[in-house]
Amino acid sequence: MSEAVAMKSKSTAKAVETENKKRSQWAEIWRRLKKNKMAMFGLGIISVIVLAAIFADFIADYDTVVIKQNLGERLQGPSAKYWLGTDEFGRDIFARMVHGARVSLKVGILAVGIAVVIGGSLGSIAGYYGGKLDNVIMRIMDIFLAVPSILLAIAIVSALGPSLTNLMLAISVSSVPSYARIVRSSVLTIKDQEFIEAARAIGASDARIILRHIIPNSLAPVIVQGTLGVAGAILSTAGLSFIGMGIQPPAPEWGSMLSGGRQYLRYAWHVTTFPGLAIMITILALNLLGDGLRDALDPRLKQ
C-alpha cells in the first residue's frame, strides 16, 4: 500500500515538474518576445485589427452602412461624417474596411489552419516512417510546389467557383506543401533522439509518439511559418478578390474595394488608398510579429 502511494506521489510530482517546465519555457519565450520592440509593435497593430474585426457590428451596422448604397454622397472625401470618405456607391469606406478586416482575417487564419493540419500530418508521417512512403508524399508535394501558389489558387477557384469557402480551400491547398516540408525536416531531427527511443522502449504506439512527442517538439518553426503564412493568405485573398475571383460584391473585402475604386483613382484617391494601406499595414505587422517569434523561439538566441 505504501509503495503504491509512493509511486503515485512520484508520478504526481513528475507531472507537476513537467507542467512547471512548460510554463517556464513559454514565459521565457514571452520575455524574449517582449524585448523585441518591432515584434511588439506588430503585435499591437494585429491586436487592434482583431478587436476591430470582432466588434465590427458594434462599430457599424452591416446592412445600413456597409451594404446600402447612397448615390447622393458617392466619392465624398474624408470628413467628420465619413472618416475615410465614401466609395463609388456612397458607402462608408471606414465601415467597409472594418467589416473587411473580419473577412480577411477569417480567410487567412482558417486557410493557414487547414494547411497546417494537412501539411503537418503529411510531413509527420513522411518524416517518421521514411522510405517509399516518404518518397511518395514528398514527390507529390514537389509537384504542388512546382506550380506558383497564386496560379494554383486561381485554378482551384476557377474550377469550383468564386466563394468564401472555395477561396479558403484554394489558399489552404496551395499552402500545404510548405508546411509539410517544414514539419518533415523537424521530424527528421527529432525522431532519433533519446526520448523517442525511450517512448518506443516502453511500448508507445507510433500514433502516440507522433502526437504526444514529435509534433509538440516541432511546433516552433510551424508557429513562425504560420504567422507569416497568414500574411501571405491575406495578400492572396486580396489578389484573388482584385481580379474578381475572391469575395464577391457587395460583401466588403480589401482586395475587392481596391478593384472597385481603381477607375476613380485620379479624382477620388481615398477609395483605393485606404484599403491598400490596410493590406500593407496588416501584412507588415504580421511579418514583424513572425520575425520576433522566430527570434524568441530559437534556442540559440537565449543568451
Side-chain angles (χ1 to χ4, degrees), residues 1-12:
M1 183 69 178
S2 60
E3 292 181 0
V5 173
M7 291 180 63
K8 184 176 181 180
S9 62
K10 287 182 179 179
S11 61
T12 303

Side-chain angles (χ1 to χ4, degrees), residues 78-293:
S79 62
K81 183 178 180 181
Y82 301 109
W83 292 356
L84 302 182
T86 60
D87 64 4
E88 66 274 20
F89 296 108
R91 298 171 298 194
D92 190 347
I93 292 178
F94 174 74
R96 289 180 61 79
M97 283 180 56
V98 170
H99 282 269
R102 176 179 291 182
V103 175
S104 296
L105 290 176
K106 180 180 179 180
V107 173
I109 294 173
L110 290 180
V112 169
I114 295 171
V116 167
V117 172
I118 298 175
S121 300
L122 293 174
S124 299
I125 294 171
Y128 184 78
Y129 290 104
K132 293 183 179 180
L133 183 60
D134 178 24
N135 195 33
V136 170
I137 292 176
M138 297 317 297
R139 295 300 74 76
I140 294 174
M141 295 298 103
D142 289 341
I143 292 173
F144 279 98
L145 285 172
V147 182
S149 59
I150 189 65
L151 293 181
L152 181 60
I154 290 174
I156 294 173
V157 173
S158 300
L160 300 179
S163 70
L164 179 62
T165 302
N166 294 339
L167 181 62
M168 287 190 293
L169 178 63
I171 295 175
S172 61
V173 169
S174 62
S175 303
V176 164
S178 60
Y179 294 101
R181 294 180 71 88
I182 290 172
V183 174
R184 175 182 176 272
S185 63
S186 297
V187 171
L188 289 175
T189 61
I190 293 172
K191 71 174 186 177
D192 293 327
Q193 294 187 12
E194 292 181 356
F195 69 95
I196 301 296
E197 295 294 335
R200 289 197 190 100
I202 63 175
S205 63
D206 291 343
R208 182 178 178 84
I209 292 174
I210 292 174
L211 294 176
R212 295 293 300 274
H213 300 289
I214 290 181
I215 290 181
N217 287 281
S218 306
L219 285 180
V222 175
I223 292 173
V224 175
Q225 182 62 29
T227 305
L228 301 176
V230 172
I234 291 175
L235 187 61
S236 298
T237 301
L240 290 172
S241 297
F242 184 83
I243 61 176
M245 303 188 70
I247 308 300
Q248 297 300 299
E253 198 279 326
W254 295 339
S256 62
M257 292 173 68
L258 279 174
S259 179
R262 57 183 172 176
Q263 56 184 320
Y264 308 102
L265 186 59
R266 290 186 178 180
Y267 50 89
W269 59 271
H270 60 280
V271 179
T272 54
T273 299
F274 292 119
L277 286 174
I279 296 171
M280 184 191 73
I281 291 173
T282 302
I283 294 174
L284 174 63
L286 286 167
N287 283 320
L288 291 175
L289 179 58
D291 289 341
L293 284 173

